Amino acid sequence: MVAAEHVVFVFIAGLLTALATGLGAIPFFLVEEFSDRWNVALWGLASGIMVAASLFGLIREGLAYGSPVLLVPGLLTGVVLVVVSHEVLDGFDHGPKKFEQADFKKLLLILGILTVHSFPEGVAVGVSFAELGLDGAAAGDSLLVAGTAVPLLAVFMTIAISIHNVPEGTAIAIPLRSLGISEWKMVWWAVFSSLPQPLGAVIAYYFVTLAKEFLPFGFGFAAGAMVYLVATEFVPEALDLGDGLPGGGKRELLAGAVTGVLAMVPLAFV
């Protein structure tokens, strides 16, 4: 039986990642706009963090729980989820400008579309909490938070997704700025775009807790979705922003990605 307090704990972690998206709009309280160079570097940072967290954390943890027999199908299923998500999203206009202009029914539709878009990030958080509450603190692979043993992998994944969400929030705030939207409304719409993440975190946690034997599949699923998202969304977005920079922004992208990987290297030693 899944403890209710643990579900609440995972939901709060997912909510923190959603709130982090709002941080992407905070700089607009101080400056009018970000340079393309900084935006490309931020997307590179997010890419490096997500790939490193997937390799050092999710895939490594999945192999620790069993053979690749379940891990590989999980990886492929995660990729399929993102591919299907792209197909669904291609038929709808759910950009930031639509947020401000939408009525209640349209907002519900947009939220449903965003659920498809941001669900994999929530899954990554939820799966990483699989051992929540188990006493592993003595072994050094968990932290005690409010009297609960929280896996270090969960701490790293929550931080990683949160950092990844910051440049996404900036990307959402930029077109809203052009509409003359207030700074606090930009923060709200940035957070709104990631609200499905707590839901994805809880569903994934609930599933892997009830079916421990499928943990390798769950870890692989989250990793596959994350890496494919980086390859098909983060990197193309960065290169599109850096198109007018010297070298097409590749240097800024690489510098950000390397910084992100180095920031997550400690995860390899957990």
Side-chain angles (χ1 to χ4, degrees):
M1 186 69 181
V2 179
E5 60 268 25
H6 290 170
V7 173
V8 172
F9 204 106
V10 174
F11 179 84
I12 291 174
L15 184 60
L16 287 175
T17 66
L19 292 175
T21 315
L23 295 177
I26 295 300
F28 289 99
F29 284 82
L30 307 173
V31 297
E32 284 299 315
E33 60 182 16
F34 273 120
S35 69
D36 288 339
R37 178 169 279 106
W38 274 106
N39 278 318
V40 172
L42 283 172
W43 278 110
L45 179 68
S47 299
I49 286 172
M50 296 315 304
V51 171
S54 297
L55 295 178
F56 299 151
L58 294 170
I59 292 179
R60 180 168 166 265
E61 196 75 7
L63 290 173
Y65 275 92
S67 71
V69 173
L70 283 176
L71 180 69
V72 173
L75 284 166
L76 296 176
T77 305
V79 171
V80 170
L81 172 69
V82 179
V83 172
V84 172
S85 299
H86 284 169
E87 291 297 321
V88 172
L89 294 176
D90 281 344
F92 298 92
D93 184 0
H94 62 288
K97 293 181 180 180
K98 290 294 183 181
F99 295 173
E100 189 65 19
Q101 299 166 349
D103 58 22
F104 181 71
K105 289 183 178 179
K106 287 180 181 177
L107 283 178
L108 288 180
L109 174 61
I110 291 171
L111 186 59
I113 297 168
L114 289 173
T115 299
V116 178
H117 170 75
S118 63
F119 196 78
E121 287 100 322
V123 168
V125 173
V127 169
S128 67
F129 275 91
E131 294 187 333
L132 179 64
L134 300 183
D135 187 13
D141 57 1
S142 63
L143 294 174
L144 287 177
V145 179
T148 302
V150 180
L152 281 179
L153 175 61
V155 175
F156 274 101
M157 285 306 301
T158 301
I159 293 173
I161 299 295
S162 296
I163 294 174
H164 140 265
N165 279 352
V166 173
E168 270 205 358
T170 303
I172 288 167
I174 289 171
L176 291 178
R177 164 68 80 182
S178 68
L179 290 176
I181 305 303
S182 69
E183 286 83 359
W184 283 112
K185 279 192 174 182
M186 287 194 291
V187 172
W188 156 243
W189 289 122
V191 173
F192 175 82
S193 72
S194 293
L195 283 182
Q197 290 180 11
L199 176 64
V202 169
I203 292 174
Y205 169 71
Y206 195 81
F207 174 78
V208 297
T209 302
L210 292 179
K212 290 282 188 181
E213 64 271 21
F214 289 104
L215 265 176
F217 181 91
F219 282 120
F221 178 86
M226 288 294 92
V227 173
Y228 194 74
L229 273 174
V230 168
T232 60
E233 290 191 14
F234 297 0
V235 173
E237 179 73 20
L239 294 177
D240 184 54
L241 285 170
D243 186 53
L245 298 174
K250 293 183 177 64
R251 287 177 297 184
E252 289 79 5
L253 175 62
L254 180 60
V258 170
T259 302
V261 170
L262 291 177
M264 297 302 290
V265 162
L267 188 60
F269 300 98
V270 173

